[in-house]
DNA sequence: GCCAGAACTGTACTTTGGTGCAATGGTGTA
DNA sequence: TACACCATTGCACCAAAGTACAGTTCTGGC
């Protein structure tokens, strides 16, 4: 498997050379006309966007793109993947890691750093949980008709006074319903109620 | 690196043997007292939950868990990761794939099948986009760094006192920031702020 | 008929949220 | 240097939210 390191200035880090001694190093300007089959490692310097660096056409059938990012964060990695890369890791990763990335990518896999992966998977897990919780809609099940009505209004940022006017009841009654709602759902205040009803943050 | 295949009946698939000829095969009942350092491959049969199969204690410092699932889907993989596994792949994966999984996991990585990864990352990308769009809603653009920070905490239902403690500032300062936030965004109180940040109706 | 639960309300109280006024210190820019 | 903006805080004040205790009315089920 041939490796191509493609950077603005045709400079390869020592770790890259150590990982793939037989690799070719190219400046971006020349890369288009020279590069053949194999793994193309694109260096993404600070402030650069993946879309500027990766060829818009995407990888050929016999090529794989990998991004070596100076500042790999969640957004960067996603941009890289969207732009056709099969992986994204830190520019200064150890040679062993680079080799591992190469192995995975060469076999048609995707590579994202484990910290990112953990975060992403964790996030997904949280999202799924929340979605299930939201779907359960259990909040309204626990409440009486009137309580749920008040709760809904609170969740849309109405004040007690407004709710009272709207339902033609006293402000005191609104408070009574709310106290009951908080107690039943184990919440502290109207803001928590709002999050519970509107489906948590994100 | 020692490999241990752990199944209900101490049966290993031919592909497993091919991938790791030196592996030990154990029945679940005996595994607890026998297994040592290395990679522990747990077979998850149809209908079984990851939590039933994986030791609740999680992997020891010199161990890694991998789940071989008969029916790997998104939920299963997430359950496995939550339960302490470093990877999850199809029970009937090719030997080369198993070896690759072993390599990644042995080096402290996480492994999830690429189809799942693509899906998860795709979903995450969508979510992040939405989040950015919602965030772009320019609310944060209008605010100073500190104001945005306070706003975010408010949006997650923290009280002023909690925010003050968390940011190591006085409650009065929190209030000051909030007053400024309300003014800049044209809002009345923290509940409206929460809705603005978390994305209104739906 | 009795009881449970809901809806409703009042008085009184504590806590939290939000504003006005005033002040200090830092940073950056015309 | 002067000016603008930000971060910080204190004191005082008012409004809103939430709780405690107490009470009425109505409805449906045992």
């Amino acid at each position: 498997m041939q490796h191509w390191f493609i950077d603005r200035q045709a400079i390869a880090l020592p770790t890259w050379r150590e990982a793939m001694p037989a690799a070719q190093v190219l400046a971006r300007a020349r890369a288009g006309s020279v590069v053949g089959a194999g793994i193309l490692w694109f260096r993404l310097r600070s402030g650069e966007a993946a879309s500027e660096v990766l060829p818009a056409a995407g990888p050929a059938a016999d090529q794989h793109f990998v991004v070596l990012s100076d500042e790999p964060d969640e957004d960067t990695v996603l941009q890289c993947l969207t732009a056709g890369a099969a992986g994204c890791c830190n520019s200064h990763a150890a040679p062993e890691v680079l080799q591992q990335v190469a192995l995975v990518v060469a076999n048609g896999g995707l590579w994202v750093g484990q910290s990112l992966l953990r975060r992403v998977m964790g996030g997904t897990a949280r999202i799924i949980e929340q979605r299930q919780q939201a779907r359960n809609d259990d909040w309204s099940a626990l409440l009486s008709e009137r309580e749920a009505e008040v709760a809904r209004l609170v969740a849309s940022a109405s004040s007690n006074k407004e709710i009272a006017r709207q339902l033609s009841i006293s402000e005191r009654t609104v408070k009574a319903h709310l106290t009951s709602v908080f107690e039943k759902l184990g919440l502290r205040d109207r803001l928590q109620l709002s999050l519970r009803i509107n489906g948590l943050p994100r």
Side-chain angles (χ1 to χ4, degrees), chain A:
Chain A
M1 175 73 62
Q2 177 63 46
H3 294 275
W4 313 81
F5 287 115
I6 299 165
D7 187 14
R8 198 183 328 147
Q9 293 148 305
I11 297 176
L13 296 186
T15 43
W16 304 358
R17 296 196 177 279
E18 190 181 333
M20 292 95 183
Q24 297 274 319
V25 183
L26 298 171
R28 261 177 230 156
R30 296 190 53 234
S33 54
V34 178
V35 166
I39 298 186
L40 282 62
W41 304 78
F42 293 88
R43 178 164 189 183
L44 191 65
R45 310 186 93 102
S46 300
E48 289 178 337
S51 53
E52 306 169 29
V53 173
L54 294 172
D62 54 1
Q63 293 179 332
H64 299 286
F65 290 175
V66 178
V67 173
L68 295 159
S69 171
D70 285 10
E71 289 177 352
D73 56 23
E74 203 159 314
D75 283 358
T76 305
V77 175
L78 287 170
Q79 278 175 30
C80 294
L81 294 185
T82 318
C88 178
C89 67
N90 197 302
S91 318
H92 302 90
E96 301 76 39
V97 174
L98 295 180
Q99 287 169 352
Q100 210 163 298
V101 174
L103 187 61
V104 170
V105 170
N107 285 61
L110 291 183
W111 175 281
V112 298
Q114 55 176 305
S115 63
L116 174 77
L117 186 54
R118 274 233 151 80
R119 225 169 334 136
V120 170
M121 301 300 284
T124 307
R126 238 179 299 120
I127 288 160
I128 290 178
E129 272 170 26
Q130 283 171 11
R131 195 165 302 169
Q132 284 173 343
Q133 209 168 22
R135 178 169 314 148
N136 275 352
D137 236 27
D138 51 1
W139 67 268
S140 62
L142 292 173
L143 307 181
S144 73
E145 194 63 39
R146 205 56 161 169
E147 287 164 351
E149 206 169 348
V150 172
R152 260 185 286 272
L153 288 168
V154 163
S156 63
S158 302
S159 70
N160 291 344
K161 204 188 295 281
E162 287 168 344
I163 296 172
R165 201 156 0 100
Q166 205 162 333
L167 300 183
S168 303
I169 54 179
S170 77
E171 197 177 334
R172 181 63 190 85
T173 307
V174 174
K175 290 182 177 182
H177 286 312
L178 276 180
T179 297
S180 169
V181 168
F182 296 147
E183 206 275 322
K184 284 182 176 176
L185 299 183
L187 304 173
R188 191 210 303 159
D189 54 33
R190 56 208 300 117
L191 201 17
Q192 289 193 348
L193 212 210
S194 162
L195 294 185
R196 174 71 176 271
I197 288 182
N198 290 323
L200 285 194
R202 43 223 68 172

